[in-house]
């Protein structure tokens, strides 16, 4: 009986191991179409105004060569014809340098003709400036067509002018 039992067990095991045809494959469920992630919005270029030279803390001789840089904003001369506030070009400005001055609040007019501020309304980016020996604070500030300061576009450095 043991041999018949073993034979029966062997036959059951053999048929369970694939002796019959496999069941038909079930079609894969349709996966919902993946919605592509929206493209990331390109970051706005960093806006900044800066002294190319001299560097903050530099020791220099007079006349001091000042060169200005600007990123993320357009530099352009002030229009020659009188303009109104609603005609100010967005994203456009020109440089102003203040001697012994701090950054002015956004929207403040940098008054022409004051000895503390030099205007670069022609769109220039450098000047050779006469400074007395000693330590001086220099502020570079961007202004719009009406010479009003622009939020975040100001840098102040200190230079040491040798005798």
């Amino acid at each position: 009986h043991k041999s018949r039992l073993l034979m029966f067990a062997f036959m059951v095991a053999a048929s369970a191991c694939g002796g019959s045809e496999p069941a038909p494959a079930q079609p894969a469920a349709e996966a919902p179409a993946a919605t592509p992630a929206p493209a990331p919005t390109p970051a706005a270029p960093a806006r900044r105004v800066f002294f190319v030279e001299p560097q903050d803390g530099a020791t220099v001789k007079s006349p001091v060569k000042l060169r200005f840089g600007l990123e993320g904003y357009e530099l352009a001369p002030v229009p020659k014809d009188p303009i109104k506030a609603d005609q100010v070009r967005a994203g456009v400005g020109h440089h102003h340098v203040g001697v012994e001055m701090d950054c002015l609040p956004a929207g403040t007019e940098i008054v022409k003709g004051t000895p503390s501020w030099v205007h670069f309304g022609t769109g220039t980016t450098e000047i050779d400036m006469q400074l007395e020996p000693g330590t001086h604070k220099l502020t570079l500030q961007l202004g719009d067509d009406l010479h009003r300061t622009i939020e975040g576009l100001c840098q102040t450095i200190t230079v040491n002018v040798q005798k």
Side-chain angles (χ1 to χ4, degrees):
H1 286 22
K2 276 187 179 182
S3 62
R4 277 190 199 173
L5 216 63
L6 282 173
M7 183 82 145
F8 179 73
F10 176 74
M11 288 173 56
V12 170
S15 68
C17 287
S20 63
E21 286 194 29
Q26 295 290 328
E30 289 285 323
T35 305
T41 305
R47 294 181 351 162
R48 71 183 191 113
V49 65
F50 55 96
F51 285 94
V52 174
E53 69 175 294
Q55 297 296 306
D56 188 27
T59 298
V60 296
K61 291 184 178 181
S62 197
V64 181
K65 173 70 143 194
L66 303 180
R67 287 192 324 131
F68 323 126
L70 179 64
E71 293 176 354
Y73 221 79
E74 184 180 342
L75 182 70
V78 175
K80 293 183 191 249
D81 296 330
I83 59 171
K84 297 177 187 165
D86 64 348
Q87 296 172 319
V88 170
R89 298 170 293 171
V92 175
H94 63 280
H95 296 295
H96 301 80
V97 172
V99 179
E100 313 308 343
M101 300 296 292
D102 291 316
C103 292
L104 298 171
T108 302
E109 182 181 350
I110 303 172
V111 180
K112 288 176 111 180
T114 61
S116 302
W117 287 97
V118 179
H119 291 253
F120 296 87
T122 60
T124 55
T125 59
E126 61 184 58
I127 187 173
D128 290 329
M129 183 177 277
Q130 291 291 336
L131 292 172
E132 295 294 320
T135 301
H136 296 280
K137 178 174 25 175
L138 302 174
T139 297
L140 178 62
Q141 189 145 21
L142 205 71
D144 66 14
D145 291 333
L146 294 177
H147 306 281
R148 294 176 304 195
T149 58
I150 300 164
E151 180 74 37
L153 293 177
C154 186
Q155 181 190 35
T156 299
I157 65 170
T158 301
V159 295
N160 302 302
V161 180
Q162 291 181 330
K163 290 183 182 181

